[in-house]
Each structure stands twice: as C-alpha cells, then as structure tokens.
Amino acid sequence: METPLPITPQEETWELRLYVAGQTVKSVTALANLKAYCEQHLKGRYKLEVIDLLLHPQLAAGDQILAIPTLVRKVPAPIRKIIGDLSNQERVLVGLDIRAVESK
C-alpha cells in the first residue's frame, strides 16, 4: 500500500472568488487584472469563480461582502479579501501572499 505524497504549497490549488455587480468598468477591470496575475503566478494551480451579485445577491452574506468588486482567497487558508479593481499588482500579490508561496 502506497502512502500519498503530501501536497506542498506550490502544488495546492488556489480557490479564488471574485464578487462583482454586473459589467461595470471596475468589475471588468478587476477580472482582467486577476486573470493576468493568476496566469503569470499561479498558472494551472487556481480555480476562479466569478459571482455576479446582481444575479445572486444572497451569496454576499456567506463571505460578508460589503463592497464590490471584492476578491476572496478561499484556499490556501487563511481567507483573505481584497477590495477594488485589483489594478495595483504589488498590493494584490502581497494581499494574496503569492510571493511567500513562490519563495518557499
């Protein structure tokens, strides 16, 4: 019987959830920026879920969303939230703690 190998942080699949409200400029910009960052730093290691609160307003309560667009990192723990259009790459990468994972 083989023992499964432990999953290292580099192999862990990141679960990201972006809350938006329709196709506003900020929402579209946030999604484009997030996709670019993910492809550059987490290629093949992330799942991105976009939730339009105009269609599913009840989902805002689960992650306590108070402003939009808001990015929520569900996995890896701990949960982190970033509000805004995600145009400041440095701030987003630090907020998601991507650099810490890459440097380990």
Side-chain angles (χ1 to χ4, degrees):
M1 182 171 188
E2 292 184 27
T3 304
L5 297 173
I7 296 174
T8 63
Q10 289 83 9
E11 297 169 342
E12 189 172 29
T13 299
W14 288 50
E15 292 182 21
L16 305 171
R17 188 176 285 176
L18 180 64
Y19 288 91
V20 297
Q23 296 291 315
T24 65
V25 172
K26 279 190 170 184
S27 296
V28 171
T29 302
L31 181 58
N33 287 332
L34 180 58
K35 283 182 176 179
Y37 304 150
C38 287
E39 283 301 308
Q40 184 176 0
H41 299 280
L42 300 172
K43 190 170 183 102
R45 299 183 292 131
Y46 70 94
K47 287 184 0 184
L48 174 60
E49 181 180 11
V50 179
I51 297 177
D52 188 339
L53 293 179
L54 294 179
L55 301 174
H56 308 285
Q58 72 279 8
L59 296 178
D63 280 324
Q64 300 177 341
I65 302 303
L66 302 174
I68 48 172
T70 297
L71 172 63
V72 178
R73 184 187 80 179
K74 307 288 277 185
V75 175
I79 292 174
R80 292 184 177 220
K81 296 179 184 173
I82 301 173
I83 297 170
D85 65 4
L86 310 177
S87 60
N88 186 329
Q89 183 175 1
E90 182 81 18
R91 188 171 169 199
V92 172
L93 296 180
V94 170
L96 291 176
D97 204 18
I98 287 178
R99 291 182 178 191
V101 170
E102 288 182 339
S103 64
K104 288 181 182 175

